[in-house]
Amino acid sequence: MTYSPTILVFDSGLGGLTVLREVVAARPDAHYVYVADDAFFPYGHHSEDEIIARVVPLMGELIRTHDPDLAVIACNTASTLVLSHLRAAYSLPFVGTVPAIKPACAQSKTRRVSVLGTKGTVKREYTKALIRDFALGCEVTLVGSPELASLAEADLSGHPISDDAILAELTPCFVGDPQDTGARTDIVVLACTHYPLLLDRLKRLAPWPVDWIDPAPAIARRVSDLLGTRLGDITQSGAEMIFTSNRAHGLSATLMPFFGGRVPA
Ligand code: DGL
């Protein structure tokens, strides 16, 4: 017997692709439906009430249409707000993406950690609770970036973005004495799934070297554990890409690597 589970991966735009590629690598046997809610992008600019009112019913429609076995909310701005609402409303398992504050603080040697997220994510009570519970005495700097998700989106869509534009968003993450390796930020948490799309440039532009924490591999392990053992010998299943704006994306070649080499329908 063979069975290919369906995994719905949801984000406000293309950022969730950084989570998708890890999940696909962990579970190549699954069928993937990637949904970019680009009609409502960027989530970081919307109020909490607006995001709840948007995502909860939209997820209901997507569940009815695609009947997934599991849904990944590959968006910190949404996960830090709607996960409890989604779990109360729908019976399938949801895996969220929330700022990796706990592992970052456990790992920091200088006790200085920065969390780079959208303006929405850094304001959330959920994020503040993670700091209260897991900062372990570290000084945690919350940096709400107004534009970095849009810059990442533009970059992946082939529009040039300047180093200066990236640097303006990145600089507040670097705190402490630049000359003293023991008294400056040593870890930056990537608390928005769009940011790993720019990781090479973030590393190049950083005022000093730091460790960058991207929780995508941990999310992929969680998804795989929840799905359980693979049934049968399916090595690769299909993939779909949906934009809520219904725009024609014309990005198939760019998107293929995130889908493990599949061409998303
Ligand atoms: N990718 C989303 C996140 O992880 C946010 C981008 C947006 O502002 O829509 O937070």
Side-chain angles (χ1 to χ4, degrees), residues 6-12 16-24 32-35 55 59 62-63 68-76 78-79 82-83 86-87 92-98 193 215-216 218-224 226-227:
T6 294
I7 302 179
L8 180 84
V9 179
F10 179 87
D11 181 36
S12 58
L17 293 170
T18 64
V19 177
L20 176 79
R21 74 181 158 200
E22 298 295 332
V23 179
V24 169
Y32 288 91
V33 180
Y34 184 94
V35 180
V55 175
M59 193 54 62
L62 293 168
I63 292 167
D69 294 273
L70 181 150
V72 180
I73 308 302
C75 175
N76 293 261
S79 293
V82 300
L83 274 179
L86 293 174
R87 288 180 177 135
L92 73 164
F94 287 93
V95 177
T97 320
V98 299
T193 53
I219 294 161
R221 285 193 295 277
R222 175 80 186 132
V223 169
S224 198
L226 282 171
L227 285 180

Side-chain angles (χ1 to χ4, degrees), residues 11-13 15-16 40-45 74-78 97 117-118 121 149 191-194:
D11 181 36
S12 58
F40 209 62
F41 179 86
Y43 276 18
H45 292 193
C75 175
N76 293 261
T77 314
T97 320
T118 65
T121 296
C192 169
T193 53
H194 279 74

Side-chain angles (χ1 to χ4, degrees), residues 172-253:
C173 293
F174 289 79
V175 297
D177 180 352
Q179 308 308 327
D180 183 349
T181 53
R184 62 186 196 189
T185 306
D186 67 346
I187 302 208
V188 176
V189 176
L190 297 171
C192 169
T193 53
H194 279 74
Y195 303 165
L197 292 171
L198 294 172
L199 186 56
D200 289 345
R201 292 182 76 182
L202 298 178
K203 284 182 178 167
R204 180 165 62 75
L205 293 168
W208 59 78
V210 291
D211 286 333
W212 305 85
I213 297 201
D214 173 4
I219 294 161
R221 285 193 295 277
R222 175 80 186 132
V223 169
S224 198
D225 287 351
L226 282 171
L227 285 180
T229 322
R230 293 182 204 180
L231 287 180
D233 55 4
I234 293 178
T235 50
Q236 193 177 91
S237 192
E240 294 165 63
M241 175 96 194
I242 294 164
F243 288 89
T244 55
S245 68
N246 293 320
R247 73 177 157 120
H249 61 80
L251 284 174
S252 290

Side-chain angles (χ1 to χ4, degrees), residues 115-182:
V115 178
L116 181 60
T118 65
K119 288 169 75 161
T121 296
V122 302
K123 273 195 297 203
R124 299 268 186 272
E125 179 48 36
Y126 192 105
T127 304
K128 293 186 180 142
L130 288 176
I131 294 172
R132 276 198 303 275
D133 294 345
F134 301 116
L136 304 168
C138 287
E139 179 188 312
V140 179
T141 302
L142 290 171
V143 178
S145 164
E147 297 303 332
L148 203 51
S150 299
L151 294 172
E153 192 98 356
D155 183 62
L156 189 62
S157 304
H159 304 293
I161 55 167
S162 71
D163 284 352
D164 285 351
I166 296 176
L167 205 49
E169 311 284 310
L170 187 60
T171 303
C173 293
F174 289 79
V175 297
D177 180 352
Q179 308 308 327
D180 183 349
T181 53

